[in-house]
Structures are given as structure tokens and as C-alpha cells.
Amino acid sequence: MNALHQHTLDSYRASRHGAPIPPRPGDHDWRAARELTSQALLVRRAARVRRRPGPSPARSLLAGLARLPRLFRRPRSAARS
């Protein structure tokens, strides 16, 4: 029995029991493939993030020093007065 025969049989049974008719074979193939690929991408991205080492102390210190001038700037409204 192929997928079309199975769908015909399921549709007949659903109509006899008052249940909704199942989708035709192939209607949701693209959606299922898209969900599988997006899920696989998320898994790969998570694995890549886990392998990435944390920030080094020197890099953290340099990033903090780079933010210092912004912390001590006067607001624009106060600078014009």
C-alpha cells in the first residue's frame, strides 16, 4: 500500500467517525524539512558556542579601559550650557 492508498483509507475512516481529515501526503514536507534544518543549525551553533573559550583576563581589562572615556563624558545638554 502506498501513501495515497493510506491517505484515502484514513480519510474514509475520519469521515465515518466525524474526525478532521488528515493532510495529504507531501503537503507539509517543506515545512518539516525546514524545521529539521533549522533545528540542526541551532544544535551546531550551540556546539560551537560551547567550544569557544571564555574571554581572557587581559582582553577583559582592555575592554574595560576602552569604556572609561565614555563613562566620564559630560552629557551633551550640560556641555552646551
Side-chain angles (χ1 to χ4, degrees):
M1 181 181 321
N2 64 20
L4 183 60
H5 293 138
Q6 185 65 45
H7 178 261
T8 306
L9 184 61
D10 291 342
S11 299
Y12 173 75
R13 287 180 183 156
S15 66
R16 300 292 285 170
H17 293 290
I21 296 175
R24 291 178 299 175
D27 275 355
H28 301 292
D29 288 351
W30 286 107
R31 183 183 303 165
R34 190 178 315 122
E35 288 175 5
L36 285 174
T37 56
S38 66
Q39 195 69 10
L41 288 174
L42 289 175
V43 168
R44 276 192 230 136
R45 189 175 297 139
R48 212 176 1 200
V49 168
R50 280 193 302 266
R51 279 186 267 141
R52 190 176 302 155
S56 67
R59 185 169 291 194
S60 298
L61 177 66
L62 289 175
L65 290 175
R67 282 192 299 265
L68 276 178
R70 279 186 267 151
L71 293 174
F72 292 111
R73 278 192 209 146
R74 283 186 282 171
R76 288 185 182 250
S77 60
R80 292 184 186 182
S81 327

